[in-house]
Amino acid sequence: MAKAQFHKNQRVYVRPVGTWAVIERVVPQWVKDVDEPLRVFYDVGLGRDFTATELQTEQAAALTEMDPAMEEWRVVRQPNKWRSVEECASHPFPGTFPVIMTNTEEGGGWRVPGMEYDFAPERVELQARIMAASPKFMVLLNRLVDYARANPENLPEDVLVLARDAETALERTKKPDAV
């Protein structure tokens, strides 16, 4: 049986998406003749419901947010269900499309709509590689900012400007976008 670990209007870090969100609804999954819900899902307004293992509180996220041992995101190939291999022979990987796995299980991650992939497959392939590498990019940006803070007198002005830009980019990942 499951109990809710988060509550409505609580701000949480959504790990598969890599952003902060507010829980809009707690969605229990009930089974007939059972006193407690079988599972509890959380609607954070990002298009699907998330489980408690995919969410983190602000305190827990602060401890692991810039951990160099961040999870490994990766690009995997899924069979193309909307077109045959012959119909998409011009695509970079005919018969498949990229899926970015952001979770340890094979079910979590990002998928691209078929029409969008058909419109610009090379662009979507590049986007998938960039998304999969983004945790490593964040670690590198954090290291640059830390180094610039520790050694401002020893760095050229151009590197300090890069470090400020990196800090701005990192700050933008910590706050949810204004609605």
Side-chain angles (χ1 to χ4, degrees):
M1 298 306 132
K3 297 214 184 267
Q5 295 179 13
F6 304 99
H7 57 82
K8 185 177 178 182
N9 296 327
Q10 183 176 1
R11 186 170 183 250
V12 292
Y13 184 73
V14 185
R15 290 181 48 164
V17 182
T19 190
W20 290 94
V22 175
I23 294 176
E24 295 177 1
R25 288 185 315 128
V26 177
V27 186
Q29 184 182 32
W30 294 96
V31 177
K32 188 176 180 177
D33 297 328
V34 177
D35 294 338
E36 295 179 12
L38 184 63
R39 293 186 192 112
V40 178
F41 296 97
Y42 302 91
D43 179 3
V44 295
L46 295 175
R48 74 169 175 93
D49 292 341
F50 293 90
T51 63
T53 59
E54 297 174 301
L55 306 176
Q56 286 182 301
T57 62
E58 289 181 308
Q59 294 82 14
L63 296 175
T64 61
E65 198 168 68
M66 285 297 147
D67 184 3
M70 289 177 79
E71 61 190 89
E72 291 288 320
W73 291 6
R74 63 206 179 282
V75 177
V76 298
R77 313 292 316 167
Q78 291 290 326
N80 191 336
K81 297 176 184 171
W82 58 91
R83 287 186 176 228
S84 68
V85 175
E86 295 78 28
E87 289 178 306
C88 56
S90 65
H91 290 183
F93 298 93
T96 65
F97 65 98
V99 174
I100 301 93
M101 291 295 162
T102 58
N103 204 347
T104 54
E105 292 89 33
E106 289 299 311
W110 288 89
R111 287 156 177 77
V112 64
M115 182 182 275
E116 186 177 331
Y117 185 75
D118 284 342
F119 179 69
E122 291 83 10
R123 180 175 182 225
V124 172
E125 294 288 342
L126 174 63
Q127 290 171 345
R129 290 190 303 274
I130 289 170
M131 281 188 251
S134 63
K136 288 181 177 69
F137 291 156
M138 288 182 68
V139 169
L140 290 172
L141 290 176
N142 196 43
R143 288 175 56 196
L144 173 64
V145 169
D146 289 346
Y147 186 78
R149 280 188 187 139
N151 303 295
E153 65 282 343
N154 298 334
L155 295 176
E157 184 61 32
D158 293 347
V159 175
L160 290 173
V161 169
L162 286 173
R164 280 192 290 273
D165 291 347
E167 187 173 27
T168 302
L170 288 169
E171 285 299 318
R172 289 177 60 197
T173 65
K174 294 178 183 175
K175 300 177 201 167
D177 292 336
V179 178

